[in-house]
Structures are given as C-alpha cells and as structure tokens.
Amino acid sequence: QNSPITVSQKRGVYGKNPARNPLDWAWRKDDGSAWLVADNGQLYMVMNHSATASKQLASKPLACVEQLPGGRWIAGAMDGTIYVGSGESMKVEEEMPFAELQGSQAQAFSSTATARFNAITVRRHLAVFGCSNHALFLVDYTRLELLRVLQVSHTTEAWALDFHPTLAILATASARGGV
C-alpha cells in the first residue's frame, strides 16, 4: 500500500518487549501509525517512533504483516503459521499452521518442506505469501485455504512482493535485489 510516510530512523522505543530485529511494517492510517512484527514473535502497534502496544503472538519470529479491511491484520511467522487478528486490542481471531490449511497443495508442500514466510501482500480476500524457499503461496485468508503454490525464478529468497495497482500481475524481489 502506498503511503506518503517514510521511516526516518531505525531506532524506536519498544517498552518492556524490545524488538531485536524489526522485520516488516504495515501502515494503518495516514497519521503514521503502523503494525510492526519482529524476530521476537511480537506484534507491535507503532506511532511515530514508539510502540504504543505489543502482543506476543508466537515463540518463533514473525516475518511479515499486512493491513486488512476494517482495522484487521494478517501476519506470517517463519514457522509457517498464519495469524489473522483485529483492532487495537490485537486480538488473534485465527491461528493456522501452514500444514492445516485447506487444499491438497498445503499437505503436498508440507510433506517435503517448511513454509518459512518472509513477505506478504493482500488484495481483497487473497493473500500472497513469499517464502524463503523460492515459492509464493496464494491463500484465501477468509476460508484459510491454499489455492496455489507458485515457484519464483529468483536464485535467492523472495523478500518483497506486491500486486500491480491495476493489472493482474505480481512483482517480486529477491534478497540479492533482482526483480
């Protein structure tokens, strides 16, 4: 999502649960507030350079977060768990390990590999998760169903992805900077 807001510092105030390595941001509003996930399994609500609230979602690192309609959010952990939650209270509504998603492709993929999420983009009811093993996962997050597994041609991990604003295409970027 395009935002006129730019992160101007890498430092911040996190309170009792400091983020060792912030991994992903999702802007909430034009006022500068954002969701932030970090390698300590915490989801933070951030305003300016300070965390105003935090919640432990996972014991594993959280790698990606994106805003959903109605003030909701979706996050992916490096162990393949998907979290869907809501509002200021950061209440977790759904927690789904990748292997338990509906659809035959989830079980087939899980039998040979772990879905280590590291990026996410959302359009309508679909979320595309980038994974550290050269795959993209198209998930209907309203039905918790894996629709497709797509291989990407990057030689390294796909760390960034986004839908084109008007066309039915998706752009990806690798850890080495290839697009």
Side-chain angles (χ1 to χ4, degrees):
Q1 295 174 337
N2 296 333
S3 173
I5 301 163
T6 304
V7 176
S8 59
Q9 295 184 30
K10 291 185 179 181
R11 294 183 303 210
V13 179
Y14 296 99
K16 295 180 181 179
N17 303 305
R20 294 182 306 273
N21 188 16
L23 296 175
D24 195 19
W25 301 81
W27 301 115
R28 295 179 60 231
K29 301 176 186 169
D30 287 338
D31 65 2
S33 61
W35 297 112
L36 165 72
V37 292
D39 63 352
N40 59 1
Q42 294 274 337
L43 171 69
Y44 297 90
M45 191 169 8
V46 178
M47 181 64 150
N48 297 320
H49 301 290
S50 297
T52 57
S54 67
K55 183 170 187 168
Q56 184 77 38
L57 295 186
S59 59
K60 302 283 185 181
L62 293 171
C64 53
V65 64
E66 185 67 70
Q67 181 176 340
L68 297 175
R72 298 172 66 223
W73 49 267
I74 185 169
M78 287 189 179
D79 69 353
T81 304
I82 297 172
Y83 299 89
V84 178
S86 65
E88 306 286 327
S89 67
M90 297 190 224
K91 179 183 175 191
V92 176
E93 298 169 350
E94 300 280 349
E95 179 178 340
M96 181 64 64
F98 182 85
E100 295 177 20
L101 287 173
Q102 295 179 30
S104 60
Q105 291 189 32
Q107 286 72 37
F109 185 88
S110 297
S111 68
T112 60
T114 302
R116 294 186 45 151
F117 298 136
N118 56 27
I120 184 175
T121 188
V122 173
R123 182 175 282 175
R124 293 184 290 278
H125 63 283
L126 301 175
V128 177
F129 287 91
C131 186
S132 63
N133 54 1
H134 314 288
L136 298 176
F137 303 104
L138 179 62
V139 175
D140 181 334
Y141 69 85
T142 61
R143 296 185 315 189
L144 295 174
E145 180 178 2
L146 178 64
L147 303 174
R148 298 279 186 274
V149 177
L150 308 167
Q151 278 305 118
V152 293
S153 61
H154 299 296
T155 57
T156 59
E157 301 168 344
W159 277 94
L161 53 115
D162 203 357
F163 285 104
H164 188 278
T166 57
L167 301 175
I169 59 174
L170 185 73
T172 63
S174 74
R176 291 191 179 160
V179 177

